[in-house]
């Protein structure tokens, strides 16, 4: 019996909404502090957000070709496995299981705690307990079943658009507290332009993260060859405009010194724009947005080690395969993910964790972009319902942008990059030892 085919019911607007929901998260509220701390000037800050949007657009358009050509459950892991083999595919799954998803959960739990403390004027000593409690509560919600987690996601998806809309619409028309000069584009302080640009560009990538999932709806679209590129282009262009406008509002609301390194910048800017009470209400909206993003990463993340375990690709696969009897959720994977996240909460800050997870993911993103070029040459007859427009220019832009981020990060944040690469490479002996163990079981 053949596999059941997914129904093709998603329209252009449905795909556009999916792009918006997948990419817009909590990052835009909190990565401004990091972008500004690297750029040290309004002009380079805005330029970094625009450049990040263009790079994300090229990345989304490129990866979507693989999503339609290799429509297998597992997404990016399967694209890499199909093109390069089992080990590289496993390494992505490994990196997602021990770095990407736990680091996202740790970082967002920390930022939730930071905002909560700021909102209610609590002592910094409460940061870690609140962060751990937040991450634990979301994990428990996900252990109550996919339906409960999905309902929470739907609710927060609507709520998270409210603070974004308010900040942009009201902030743009408020009198400027600070003059914002967009030209000439230059770095402030003593930093060189390339160093400042690379650090600020890497920081924007966390806010744009999520684009890799936009091609996942291709198999359920009515006309993927026409509507998918339109949805990606319109969705990511709109997101870029929104992100640039939010940062413009922040820059005109607060002096650059108050934005740089200030994780409460969005809350402080909201107080300036809306006054103390309005600012608090917007901050509550931001907290709900963070909680929703945390839920999204938790819900997706626990299924990665579970999927690897089903193929007996990780140690203790039998345990990771276990589903709870009542809610049918991979609870061992959920406990593992939360445990790794808690360790990360003790070891890293929000910016350190987010920069590391983005650096590691872009190592694999490069492989994905390159896979489009490789498969075009190796398998020209492969069925491609959608082909990346302006080939090969768009994939090459994505590859060059990715190389710039990775190479400059290696030089400017060497320890961070080395730790990320090191943890990823630990996956090689894990894979090889597990293969031997599985082979001996068969004998």
């Amino acid at each position: 019996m053949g596999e059941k085919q997914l129904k093709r019911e998603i329209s252009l607007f449905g795909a556009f909404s999916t792009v918006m929901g997948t990419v817009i998260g909590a990052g835009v509220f909190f990565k401004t502090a990091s972008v500004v701390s690297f750029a040290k000037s309004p002009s380079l800050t805005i330029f970094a957000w625009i450049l990040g949007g263009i790079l994300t657009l090229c990345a989304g358009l490129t990866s979507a070709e693989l999503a339609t050509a290799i429509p297998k459950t597992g997404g990016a892991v399967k694209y890499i496995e199909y093109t390069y083999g089992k080990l590289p595919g496993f390494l992505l799954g490994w990196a997602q299981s021990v770095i990407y998803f736990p680091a996202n959960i740790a970082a967002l739990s920390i930022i939730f705690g930071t905002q909560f403390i700021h909102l209610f004027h609590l002592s910094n000593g409460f940061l870690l307990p609140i962060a751990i409690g937040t991450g634990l509560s979301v994990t428990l919600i996900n252990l109550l079943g996919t339906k409960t987690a999905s309902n929470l996601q739907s609710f927060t998806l609507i709520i998270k658009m409210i603070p974004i809309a308010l900040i942009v619409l009201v902030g743009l028309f408020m009198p400027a507290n600070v003059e914002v000069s967009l030209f000439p584009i230059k770095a402030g302080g003593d930093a060189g332009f390339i160093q400042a640009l690379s650090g600020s560009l890497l920081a924007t990538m966390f806010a744009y993260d999520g684009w890799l999932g936009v091609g996942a709806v291709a198999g359920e679209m009515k006309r993927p060859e026409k509507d998918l590129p339109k949805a990606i282009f319109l969705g990511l262009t709109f997101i870029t405009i929104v992100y640039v406008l939010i940062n413009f509002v922040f820059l005109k609301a607060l002096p650059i010194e108050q934005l740089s390194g200030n994780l409460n910048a969005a809350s402080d800017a909201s107080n300036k724009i809306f006054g103390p009470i309005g600012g608090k209400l917007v901050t509550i909206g931001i907290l709900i947005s963070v909680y929703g993003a945390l839920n999204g990463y938790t819900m997706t993340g626990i299924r990665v080690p579970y999927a690897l375990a089903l193929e007996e690709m990780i140690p203790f696969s039998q345990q990771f395969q276990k589903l709870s009897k009542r809610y049918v959720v991979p609870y061992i994977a959920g406990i593992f993910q939360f445990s790794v996240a808690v360790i990360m909460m003790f070891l890293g800050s929000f910016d350190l964790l987010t920069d590391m997870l983005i650096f590691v993911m872009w190592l694999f993103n490069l492989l994905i972009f390159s896979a489009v070029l490789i498969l075009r040459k190796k398998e020209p007859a492969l069925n491609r319902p959608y082909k990346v427009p302006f080939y090969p220019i768009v994939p090459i832009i994505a590859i060059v942008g990715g190389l710039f981020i990775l190479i400059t990060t290696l030089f400017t944040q060497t320890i961070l990059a080395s730790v990320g690469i090191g943890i990823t490479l630990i996956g090689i002996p894990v894979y090889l030892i597990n293969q031997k163990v599985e082979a001996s079981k068969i004998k």
Side-chain angles (χ1 to χ4, degrees):
M1 188 186 284
E3 285 185 22
K4 287 185 179 179
Q5 294 293 308
L6 292 166
K7 288 185 179 179
R8 294 187 176 274
E9 297 177 331
I10 299 177
S11 63
L12 172 60
F13 182 74
F16 172 80
S17 303
T18 302
V19 173
M20 296 287 292
T22 305
V23 177
I24 290 183
V28 67
F29 298 118
F30 309 110
K31 271 302 184 178
T32 297
S34 183
V35 175
V36 171
S37 69
F38 281 108
K40 294 184 172 64
S41 78
S43 60
L44 187 55
T45 297
I46 295 296
F47 180 69
W49 284 102
I50 294 171
L51 195 59
I54 293 168
L55 180 54
T56 302
L57 177 59
C58 291
L61 289 170
T62 301
S63 65
E65 179 169 315
L66 295 181
T68 58
I70 310 166
K72 296 181 180 179
T73 304
V77 171
K78 294 300 177 186
Y79 313 155
I80 288 178
E81 188 180 295
Y82 185 92
T83 311
Y84 304 102
K86 279 272 188 188
L87 177 56
F90 168 79
L91 284 178
L92 173 54
W94 166 262
Q96 287 179 329
S97 299
V98 299
I99 299 176
Y100 179 75
F101 285 109
N104 259 304
I105 291 161
L108 290 168
S109 297
I110 288 169
I111 207 68
F112 187 95
T114 304
Q115 292 296 294
F116 195 88
I117 284 168
H118 185 69
L119 180 64
F120 295 105
H121 308 290
L122 302 175
S123 161
N124 284 332
F126 287 104
L127 176 58
L128 269 177
I130 291 170
I132 292 168
T134 304
L136 177 61
S137 68
V138 174
T139 299
L140 291 175
I141 287 168
N142 275 270
L143 294 182
L144 292 174
T146 306
K147 189 176 180 182
T148 307
S150 296
N151 288 340
L152 174 62
Q153 200 62 16
S154 300
F155 169 71
T156 57
L157 178 61
I158 298 162
I159 298 294
K160 76 179 178 183
M161 300 307 293
I162 296 171
I164 290 173
L166 286 173
I167 290 169
V168 170
L169 294 175
V170 178
L172 277 177
F173 299 102
M174 289 286 287
N177 294 314
V178 183
E179 281 299 316
V180 180
S181 173
L182 300 181
F183 297 99
I185 298 168
K186 60 180 182 179
D190 302 323
F193 183 81
I194 296 297
Q195 184 180 346
L197 177 62
S198 69
S200 52
L201 184 61
L202 178 70
T204 68
M205 288 294 103
F206 178 69
Y208 286 112
D209 189 41
W211 56 265
L212 191 53
V214 301
V217 296
E220 297 166 79
M221 290 182 68
K222 292 175 183 175
R223 301 181 306 168
E225 67 286 346
K226 289 184 178 179
D227 289 346
L228 186 60
K230 283 181 189 173
I232 292 171
F233 179 79
L234 293 172
L236 292 178
T237 300
F238 184 77
I239 289 165
T240 302
I241 292 167
V242 168
Y243 282 6
V244 168
L245 290 176
I246 283 182
N247 279 273
F248 178 73
V249 169
F250 289 163
L251 287 164
K252 66 181 256 197
L254 294 172
I256 206 154
E257 298 78 24
Q258 288 183 31
L259 289 171
S260 180
N262 177 13
L263 290 176
N264 295 306
S267 177
D268 292 347
S270 298
N271 285 336
K272 280 273 186 186
I273 297 165
F274 303 104
I277 295 173
K280 277 184 165 56
L281 290 173
V282 170
T283 302
I284 290 168
I286 293 171
L287 277 171
I288 294 170
S289 173
V290 174
Y291 202 79
L294 188 52
N295 180 62
Y297 283 113
T298 302
M299 188 163 56
T300 311
I302 61 176
R303 282 152 181 82
V304 176
Y306 172 70
L308 292 173
L310 287 178
E311 296 186 35
E312 305 285 346
M313 291 179 77
I314 52 174
F316 310 109
S317 286
Q318 294 301 314
Q319 279 69 39
F320 279 105
Q321 287 176 25
K322 287 182 179 177
L323 299 172
S324 55
K325 288 181 182 176
R326 184 172 178 183
Y327 298 109
V328 198
V329 174
Y331 64 97
I332 300 290
I335 294 165
F336 169 78
Q337 180 175 262
F338 176 66
S339 302
V340 176
V342 170
I343 293 166
M344 289 181 168
M345 288 180 211
F346 279 98
L347 296 178
S349 66
F350 170 75
D351 283 325
L352 179 99
L353 291 169
T354 51
D355 285 352
M356 184 172 72
L357 71 89
I358 290 298
F359 174 82
V360 170
M361 279 309 295
W362 271 84
L363 291 169
F364 292 99
N365 291 343
L366 265 187
L367 291 179
I368 291 167
F369 306 148
S370 302
V372 172
L373 302 175
I374 291 166
L375 292 176
R376 282 281 188 111
K377 207 162 191 180
K378 261 176 61 177
E379 298 188 33
L382 182 68
N383 181 38
R384 295 173 174 86
Y386 155 82
K387 289 185 177 181
V388 57
F390 306 110
Y391 180 88
I393 296 167
V394 170
I396 287 170
I397 292 171
I399 289 168
V400 170
L403 282 170
F404 175 78
I405 289 172
L406 294 174
I407 292 168
T408 51
T409 304
L410 270 170
F411 284 105
T412 58
Q413 300 184 64
T414 308
I415 295 172
L416 174 144
S418 301
V419 170
I421 292 169
I423 295 172
T424 304
L425 291 179
I426 288 170
I428 296 174
V430 169
Y431 175 82
L432 295 174
I433 292 166
N434 193 64
Q435 288 291 96
K436 280 190 175 181
V437 171
E438 290 303 318
S440 67
K441 284 180 186 175
I442 295 168
K443 288 177 184 178

